[in-house]
Amino acid sequence: MADFDTPELHEYPLIPKLKEGVMAHSKPYVAKPQFQEALGFPGELVENWEEKALEKLDDLRGRYRSLQVYLDSCVKCGACTDKCHYYLGTSDPKNMPVARQDLLRQVYRRYRTFAGKYFPKLVGAKDLTKDVLDDWYSYFHQCSQCRRCSVFCPYGIDTAEISMAAREIMDAIGVGQKYCNEIIGKAATIGNNLGLPEPALADTLEGLEEEVEEDTGVPVKFPLDQKGADILLVTPSADFFAEPHVDGLIGYAKVFHEAGVSWTMSSYASEAANFGMFIGSYENMRDLSMRVRKAAEDLGVKRIVFGECGHAWRVAYSFLNTLAGPFDFLDPNYPVPQHICEFTYDLIQKNKLKFDKSENDHMTLTFHDSCNVARASRMGDKPGGQFDIPRAIIRAVCNNYVDMPADYIKEATFCCGGGGGLLTDDLMELRVKGAQPRMEAYKRVVDDNGVTNVAAICAICKSQFTKVLPYYGFGMTDIVSVHQLVSEALILSDAPSDEEDEATETESEA
């Protein structure tokens, strides 16, 4: 446990008393020059950084009309102030979305508006100084880009886009974040965030094949670089080794096996996550997306399916065709891309999968709506599919399910506290405090409904909950993958019957 106090959980979220500067010390490690330069950024803070920062701000305002609108339209109404999990958990006023936005807006006004140039104090305009830059680095890395505040903003101002712009400006002047930029570099050169080379990946998948066959008696395959397969699965690299992620990967494989489809993963593009979005870099987002396109072309697949990862699905659903399209070489009968939940749900609707729901009876489940899925994407052919489809899958494979309170799910869901490129140990205090509102909602259903586990379809959420649940008195294994539940309940048609198992055991004993 780290050296800070874990917030107390309440029955309902309480608006805290302001504690100015209480989180000013919280900031991630700065990226080393080699990791900056590999992404096309300066290795360290450039000499004329003030001028370069303003040039980059102008570049982004010119490229993204939305950013210009967000910088101009805030009226300080306060609707967003208590909507941010980091403000609720830390009490720092600069974690109010409006105050965090103003760290960039005050500089924009000072240099790029008439009132700011001639009457700066009247409009809250400030010079771009080193102290201001330090505030940028601290507080724009205390935003998980979850977009909950934008749901409640009467003007629809998207704090996430302002945070992304601020981070890109800092990268452009040589002050990048270590965690994100190193990960982007690994994915761009090796193909995944972990830096797993092809031999290590192949060995991992072979081990999973052996494990599943030993457990089920069925030779479920985990193909890699199989040309001519119908489906390319692109999944977060956490699925290859971490709990509960790997149990979700086993679930995907079982579903593909039972559906009788040919599928494969790619060692060239073995990563669904795209951290280029977290730093606001279109160029790096595109480079990582182009790897997925190249893998699909090289392997000759007909469709692309994405695994359980929140921001990976946002990038795929919202941007993939723009970043790496057109995907006119794929089968037009399927969406580009498709989420694994959509794939599994379709099979359930067609009664092509059989389940023994009692296999999950030791759990009473609830579901955590991951931010990038809930507020920045969709699933299926109906509005709200991103909420309904995962829940329908859980209900199809579990007998015991309860939703968290209605005000804290679906579009209004609270962030796990570790998204947006903040899932790093140097920000553990922020992550724990930012998780407070979600933990409060979880505690409600634990206390009132006997819930034992929370399911999610986001790799970052799963990793975050594994770390922060114990801080609040819950078990680190409370978090499960949706396809882990599918895996446990799915009846494989070529699995040996109970009689065959008994006969095998008898023969072994003989």
Side-chain angles (χ1 to χ4, degrees), residues 57 80 92 98 122 125 147 153 163-164 171 173 175 183 190 225 241 265 271 288 320 324 331 347 419 443 458 473 488:
L57 174 60
C80 66
D92 194 315
V98 59
L122 293 180
R147 307 175 76 242
C153 175
S163 292
M164 292 171 188
D171 274 319
I173 62 175
V175 188
I183 279 178
I190 300 174
D225 296 331
F241 79 102
M265 286 175 276
E271 180 64 66
L288 297 180
L320 192 63
D331 190 331
L347 293 173
K443 187 176 188 298
C458 173
E488 292 298 320

Short mmCIF file of all heavy atoms in Angstrom, two decimals, residues 57 80 92 98 122 125 147 153 163-164 171 173 175 183 190 225 241 265 271 288 320 324 331 347 419 443 458 473 488:
data_model
loop_
_atom_site.label_atom_id
_atom_site.label_comp_id
_atom_site.label_asym_id
_atom_site.label_seq_id
_atom_site.Cartn_x
_atom_site.Cartn_y
_atom_site.Cartn_z
N LEU A 57 -0.62 25.05 -30.30
CA LEU A 57 -2.01 25.34 -29.98
C LEU A 57 -2.74 25.87 -31.21
O LEU A 57 -3.87 25.46 -31.49
CB LEU A 57 -2.08 26.37 -28.84
CG LEU A 57 -3.47 26.89 -28.48
CD1 LEU A 57 -4.39 25.75 -28.05
CD2 LEU A 57 -3.38 27.94 -27.37
N CYS A 80 -20.40 21.02 -14.39
CA CYS A 80 -19.44 19.92 -14.45
C CYS A 80 -18.66 19.72 -13.16
O CYS A 80 -17.94 18.74 -13.00
CB CYS A 80 -18.45 20.15 -15.59
SG CYS A 80 -17.37 21.59 -15.33
N ASP A 92 -9.29 18.54 -4.83
CA ASP A 92 -8.49 19.60 -5.44
C ASP A 92 -9.34 20.35 -6.46
O ASP A 92 -9.82 19.75 -7.42
CB ASP A 92 -7.26 19.01 -6.11
CG ASP A 92 -6.22 20.07 -6.46
OD1 ASP A 92 -6.62 21.12 -7.00
OD2 ASP A 92 -5.03 19.84 -6.19
N VAL A 98 -14.05 22.31 -15.27
CA VAL A 98 -13.96 23.69 -15.73
C VAL A 98 -12.62 24.31 -15.36
O VAL A 98 -12.02 25.06 -16.16
CB VAL A 98 -15.13 24.53 -15.17
CG1 VAL A 98 -15.14 24.53 -13.64
CG2 VAL A 98 -15.08 25.95 -15.69
N LEU A 122 -9.29 40.92 -16.39
CA LEU A 122 -10.75 40.92 -16.48
C LEU A 122 -11.31 39.61 -17.02
O LEU A 122 -12.46 39.27 -16.74
CB LEU A 122 -11.22 42.08 -17.38
CG LEU A 122 -10.97 43.49 -16.85
CD1 LEU A 122 -11.49 44.53 -17.84
CD2 LEU A 122 -11.64 43.69 -15.49
N ALA A 125 -7.07 35.77 -18.02
CA ALA A 125 -5.99 35.37 -18.91
C ALA A 125 -4.66 35.38 -18.17
O ALA A 125 -4.44 36.21 -17.28
CB ALA A 125 -5.92 36.29 -20.10
N ARG A 147 -14.96 11.70 -20.17
CA ARG A 147 -16.03 12.45 -20.82
C ARG A 147 -17.33 12.47 -20.03
O ARG A 147 -18.38 12.85 -20.56
CB ARG A 147 -16.26 11.93 -22.24
CG ARG A 147 -15.00 11.88 -23.07
CD ARG A 147 -15.17 11.26 -24.44
NE ARG A 147 -15.82 12.18 -25.34
CZ ARG A 147 -17.00 11.93 -25.92
NH1 ARG A 147 -17.65 10.83 -25.65
NH2 ARG A 147 -17.54 12.81 -26.73
N CYS A 153 -22.58 18.81 -19.32
CA CYS A 153 -22.30 20.18 -19.75
C CYS A 153 -23.40 20.65 -20.69
O CYS A 153 -23.64 20.01 -21.71
CB CYS A 153 -20.95 20.26 -20.44
SG CYS A 153 -20.59 21.90 -21.13
N SER A 163 -7.85 18.01 -22.77
CA SER A 163 -6.72 17.31 -22.14
C SER A 163 -5.80 16.70 -23.19
O SER A 163 -4.56 16.76 -23.06
CB SER A 163 -7.24 16.20 -21.21
OG SER A 163 -7.89 16.75 -20.09
N MET A 164 -6.39 16.09 -24.22
CA MET A 164 -5.58 15.53 -25.30
C MET A 164 -4.75 16.61 -25.98
O MET A 164 -3.55 16.42 -26.27
CB MET A 164 -6.48 14.84 -26.32
CG MET A 164 -7.16 13.59 -25.83
SD MET A 164 -8.39 13.03 -27.05
CE MET A 164 -9.21 11.72 -26.12
N ASP A 171 3.99 17.34 -25.49
CA ASP A 171 4.87 16.45 -26.27
C ASP A 171 5.64 17.24 -27.31
O ASP A 171 6.84 17.00 -27.54
CB ASP A 171 4.03 15.37 -26.96
CG ASP A 171 3.78 14.16 -26.08
OD1 ASP A 171 4.71 13.73 -25.38
OD2 ASP A 171 2.66 13.62 -26.09
N ILE A 173 6.73 20.18 -27.28
CA ILE A 173 7.82 21.03 -26.77
C ILE A 173 8.82 20.23 -25.94
O ILE A 173 9.72 20.79 -25.33
CB ILE A 173 7.27 22.21 -25.95
CG1 ILE A 173 6.50 21.73 -24.72
CG2 ILE A 173 6.41 23.11 -26.83
CD1 ILE A 173 6.04 22.86 -23.79
N VAL A 175 8.04 17.69 -23.43
CA VAL A 175 7.67 17.27 -22.07
C VAL A 175 6.57 16.21 -22.18
O VAL A 175 5.39 16.51 -21.98
CB VAL A 175 7.19 18.46 -21.21
CG1 VAL A 175 7.01 18.02 -19.76
CG2 VAL A 175 8.18 19.61 -21.28
N ILE A 183 4.94 3.06 -24.21
CA ILE A 183 4.00 2.05 -24.71
C ILE A 183 3.76 2.23 -26.20
O ILE A 183 3.74 1.26 -26.96
CB ILE A 183 2.69 2.12 -23.90
CG1 ILE A 183 2.86 1.37 -22.58
CG2 ILE A 183 1.51 1.55 -24.69
CD1 ILE A 183 1.65 1.41 -21.67
N ILE A 190 7.17 -3.23 -32.21
CA ILE A 190 7.07 -4.68 -31.96
C ILE A 190 5.67 -5.21 -32.22
O ILE A 190 5.50 -6.36 -32.61
CB ILE A 190 7.52 -5.00 -30.52
CG1 ILE A 190 8.99 -4.56 -30.32
CG2 ILE A 190 7.39 -6.50 -30.22
CD1 ILE A 190 9.48 -4.71 -28.90
N ASP A 225 -1.00 -15.84 -36.87
CA ASP A 225 -0.49 -15.60 -38.23
C ASP A 225 -0.97 -16.66 -39.22
O ASP A 225 -0.21 -17.11 -40.09
CB ASP A 225 1.04 -15.54 -38.23
CG ASP A 225 1.58 -14.38 -37.42
OD1 ASP A 225 0.89 -13.35 -37.34
OD2 ASP A 225 2.69 -14.50 -36.86
N PHE A 241 -1.58 -12.49 -20.68
CA PHE A 241 -0.86 -12.94 -19.48
C PHE A 241 -1.53 -12.59 -18.16
O PHE A 241 -1.28 -13.24 -17.15
CB PHE A 241 0.56 -12.34 -19.47
CG PHE A 241 0.62 -10.91 -19.02
CD1 PHE A 241 1.05 -10.59 -17.74
CD2 PHE A 241 0.24 -9.88 -19.87
CE1 PHE A 241 1.09 -9.27 -17.32
CE2 PHE A 241 0.28 -8.56 -19.44
CZ PHE A 241 0.71 -8.25 -18.16
N MET A 265 -4.88 -14.56 -34.72
CA MET A 265 -4.28 -13.33 -34.23
C MET A 265 -3.05 -13.04 -35.07
O MET A 265 -2.58 -13.91 -35.81
CB MET A 265 -3.92 -13.46 -32.74
CG MET A 265 -5.13 -13.40 -31.83
SD MET A 265 -4.75 -13.70 -30.08
CE MET A 265 -4.78 -15.50 -30.07
N GLU A 271 -1.96 -5.98 -30.79
CA GLU A 271 -2.40 -5.03 -29.77
C GLU A 271 -3.61 -4.24 -30.25
O GLU A 271 -3.58 -3.59 -31.30
CB GLU A 271 -1.27 -4.04 -29.45
CG GLU A 271 -1.60 -3.00 -28.40
CD GLU A 271 -1.88 -3.64 -27.04
OE1 GLU A 271 -0.94 -4.22 -26.45
OE2 GLU A 271 -3.04 -3.57 -26.59
N LEU A 288 -0.45 3.29 -35.49
CA LEU A 288 -0.85 2.05 -34.82
C LEU A 288 -2.05 1.42 -35.53
O LEU A 288 -2.14 0.19 -35.63
CB LEU A 288 -1.17 2.33 -33.36
CG LEU A 288 -0.01 2.85 -32.50
CD1 LEU A 288 -0.46 3.10 -31.07
CD2 LEU A 288 1.17 1.87 -32.52
N LEU A 320 -11.35 4.19 -36.82
CA LEU A 320 -10.52 3.26 -37.60
C LEU A 320 -10.67 3.46 -39.10
O LEU A 320 -9.68 3.44 -39.84
CB LEU A 320 -10.85 1.80 -37.23
CG LEU A 320 -9.85 0.77 -37.76
CD1 LEU A 320 -8.47 0.98 -37.16
CD2 LEU A 320 -10.33 -0.65 -37.45
N ALA A 324 -7.37 4.44 -41.06
CA ALA A 324 -6.71 3.38 -41.83
C ALA A 324 -7.58 2.83 -42.96
O ALA A 324 -7.22 1.83 -43.58
CB ALA A 324 -6.31 2.23 -40.90
N ASP A 331 -15.14 -8.41 -46.02
CA ASP A 331 -16.49 -8.83 -46.37
C ASP A 331 -17.49 -7.75 -45.97
O ASP A 331 -17.62 -7.43 -44.78
CB ASP A 331 -16.82 -10.15 -45.64
CG ASP A 331 -18.11 -10.79 -46.14
OD1 ASP A 331 -19.00 -10.05 -46.57
OD2 ASP A 331 -18.22 -12.03 -46.07
N LEU A 347 -24.50 -14.83 -31.86
CA LEU A 347 -24.61 -16.30 -31.75
C LEU A 347 -25.66 -16.68 -30.71
O LEU A 347 -26.41 -17.66 -30.90
CB LEU A 347 -23.25 -16.89 -31.38
CG LEU A 347 -22.15 -16.78 -32.43
CD1 LEU A 347 -20.82 -17.25 -31.86
CD2 LEU A 347 -22.49 -17.59 -33.68
N GLY A 419 -8.06 5.23 -16.35
CA GLY A 419 -8.03 5.35 -17.80
C GLY A 419 -7.23 6.55 -18.28
O GLY A 419 -6.60 7.27 -17.51
N LYS A 443 -20.10 -0.70 -3.64
CA LYS A 443 -20.42 -1.08 -2.26
C LYS A 443 -21.92 -1.12 -2.03
O LYS A 443 -22.42 -1.96 -1.25
CB LYS A 443 -19.76 -0.09 -1.29
CG LYS A 443 -19.88 -0.50 0.19
CD LYS A 443 -19.13 0.47 1.09
CE LYS A 443 -19.08 -0.03 2.54
NZ LYS A 443 -20.42 -0.15 3.14
N CYS A 458 -13.20 -3.93 -20.40
CA CYS A 458 -12.10 -3.01 -20.68
C CYS A 458 -10.85 -3.49 -19.95
O CYS A 458 -10.89 -3.74 -18.74
CB CYS A 458 -12.45 -1.60 -20.22
SG CYS A 458 -11.08 -0.43 -20.35
N GLY A 473 -11.20 -2.42 0.73
CA GLY A 473 -11.68 -3.56 1.49
C GLY A 473 -12.32 -4.66 0.68
O GLY A 473 -12.93 -5.58 1.25
N GLU A 488 -16.78 -19.94 -18.69
CA GLU A 488 -17.16 -20.88 -17.63
C GLU A 488 -18.47 -21.60 -17.94
O GLU A 488 -18.63 -22.78 -17.64
CB GLU A 488 -17.28 -20.12 -16.30
CG GLU A 488 -15.98 -19.59 -15.75
CD GLU A 488 -14.99 -20.70 -15.45
OE1 GLU A 488 -15.41 -21.76 -14.93
OE2 GLU A 488 -13.79 -20.52 -15.73
#
